[in-house]
Structures are given as C-alpha cells and as structure tokens.
Amino acid sequence: MKLLDHLEEWLVTFLMAGATLIIFVAVLHRYAAGLAIPGLQDWLLSISMSWAQELTIIMFVWMAKFGAAYGVRTGIHVGVDVLINRLSKPTRGKFVMFGLSAGALFTAIVAVLGTRFVWENGAHYDIYTWLGLTLTDVPEGPTTPDLEWPTWMVYSAIPLGTSLMCFRFLQVLVTFAKTGELPHHDHGHVDGLEEDEPIAVDANPYAMSDNLHPRDLHHRPDGSLHAASQKAREEGQRK
C-alpha cells in the first residue's frame, strides 16, 4: 500500500512539474522567436513547439484524475458538513458511510463506462495488433492532432484514475468503519510557519464544543486553560 501511495504522489508531482516546465519553455520560445536577432531567430523559428499545448493539456488531465484519488486518500476535497456535524455521532456515522459508499459506486460506474469507451476508441485495435490476432471489422482508432498519439491512450486517464479513486473511497470507508476516523487536511496550515507560544488570557469568548465555531488556542472546549497557557499565566503573575 505504501508503494501505491508513493507512486500516486510521484505521478502527480511529475505531471505537474513537467507541464509547468513545458509551458515555460513554450512561452519563452514564442517570445524569443520574435526578437530580431540574426541567426538565433531563424534557429528558433525552425523549432516547432505546436505540440506543447496539446501535451500540457493531456498532462493536466492525467494529473487531475490521479490528483482526485490522492485527494480522497488525504481528505483534501472540500465538503459542506455543517448539517452532518450537528447530528448525533451514530447518525453522523451512517451519513458518512452512505456518502463514501455513494462516491465508490459513482466512481465505479464511471470507471466501467470509461473502460468501455477507451476499448471502443481504438484500444482493441492496437491490442489485437500487438497480440497478432485477426482484425475483423475492427477499426483503427483516431489520433491526436499534433502529437498523433492514439486518443485511447490519452482517454485511459478516465478508467485508470477513476478506478484508483474508487479504491480510495473503499479504503477510507473501511478505515472509518473500523476506527471512526476520516482523513483530515488542515487547509489553514502553512508548512514552515510555526505557531507562537500561546499567551494567557482571562476570558474565553470563543469556547464552543460543537466543532463548528471558532475556538482560541489557549483554552480547552470546557473553558480550562491548556498547560502551556496556564504556565505562561503563572509566570506572568509572578513577575
């Protein structure tokens, strides 16, 4: 499982970095080719970068499909859970289980339909050719305009990425059924920025125990001070 997690992360990182680099080179080539520099301009104009836009679109599509699966695993996807959080714990668990099951079912259907589409879009022709099978009334699939790649290879991102997303929904579903925990990502956290030491305060107007309202970092939900805040308060009083 760890290997699959790393492959997922490496693939998304490679596609994002590669697409960004290709766009940068294409834009730099376009502007540099417009400079009236003898020799350099002719050489740049002889280099065709028409394929760059098509390739970056393909890379971003693949990145989006596999990135969606990564988002399910890590809890990055944004959801509206105001009503869910107000329910009792047993009822909330049932709704969470239903939502995860619905996500797994939906992505499974898309994966099946996507596989059928890719197969009929030329995958069967190439596979039959590779295996040396008889091609009886099997049409050759279309290709992309610039790169002239078989389109079924590009569209394979749909069944592959969605199948992985379905697996991640089932993985989260099983984990939640066992532990009652969901993957959570703190959207307000910024790596490299550490929180300052809490400063003791006398009032706690934000202490709410329903998990829906803001709460300051110095108090627990019951209103008592955290250990660090209590220590800072005692030191301040001694001074």
Side-chain angles (χ1 to χ4, degrees):
M1 195 64 65
K2 290 292 185 180
L3 178 60
L4 179 60
D5 294 346
H6 289 314
L7 288 176
E8 183 181 64
E9 295 167 0
W10 292 337
L11 179 61
V12 173
T13 302
F14 169 77
L15 291 172
M16 183 182 299
T20 303
L21 179 61
I22 292 173
I23 293 175
F24 172 77
V25 173
V27 172
L28 184 64
H29 171 269
R30 179 179 300 177
Y31 280 94
L35 301 177
I37 302 177
L40 177 62
Q41 187 179 42
D42 295 337
W43 176 69
L44 291 175
L45 291 175
S46 66
I47 300 175
S48 175
M49 294 288 293
S50 60
W51 51 269
Q53 181 177 0
E54 183 176 284
L55 180 58
T56 53
I57 291 175
I58 295 173
M59 296 177 75
F60 274 116
V61 169
W62 277 71
M63 179 187 64
K65 297 304 296 182
F66 285 91
Y70 173 80
V72 174
R73 174 170 66 89
T74 58
I76 290 179
H77 290 296
V78 178
V80 180
D81 55 1
V82 175
L83 295 179
I84 297 296
N85 287 337
R86 288 188 175 274
L87 300 175
S88 62
K89 188 173 181 179
T91 305
R92 182 167 64 244
K94 294 177 181 178
F95 273 93
V96 172
M97 296 279 286
F98 172 78
L100 294 173
S101 301
L105 177 61
F106 174 76
T107 50
I109 294 174
V110 174
V112 172
L113 296 177
T115 301
R116 180 178 178 181
F117 173 78
V118 169
W119 180 259
E120 296 176 351
N121 199 60
H124 58 337
Y125 178 89
D126 288 338
I127 293 175
Y128 284 5
T129 301
W130 294 339
L131 298 177
L133 301 177
T134 304
L135 299 173
T136 304
D137 298 331
V138 178
E140 183 177 0
T143 59
T144 59
D146 296 321
L147 296 171
E148 297 183 353
W149 289 355
T151 55
W152 71 265
M153 292 185 177
V154 178
Y155 297 147
S156 294
I158 298 174
L160 294 177
T162 311
S163 297
L164 181 58
M165 194 174 181
C166 178
F167 172 75
R168 293 305 188 189
F169 270 118
L170 295 175
Q171 184 182 27
V172 174
L173 176 63
V174 172
T175 302
F176 180 78
K178 292 181 178 179
T179 65
E181 297 292 334
L182 289 172
H184 175 72
H185 178 77
D186 185 4
H187 297 278
H189 175 71
V190 179
D191 292 336
L193 294 181
E194 300 297 335
E195 296 178 352
D196 296 333
E197 183 179 351
I199 300 176
V201 294
D202 295 327
N204 184 21
Y206 302 112
M208 304 289 289
S209 59
D210 57 5
N211 224 6
L212 297 174
H213 296 78
R215 181 166 60 242
D216 69 284
L217 301 176
H218 315 298
H219 291 80
R220 300 186 180 92
D222 61 0
S224 62
L225 284 170
H226 286 293
S229 297
Q230 182 65 32
K231 181 179 178 181
R233 181 178 183 179
E234 293 174 355
E235 291 179 353
Q237 291 177 347
R238 283 195 296 266
K239 292 180 180 180

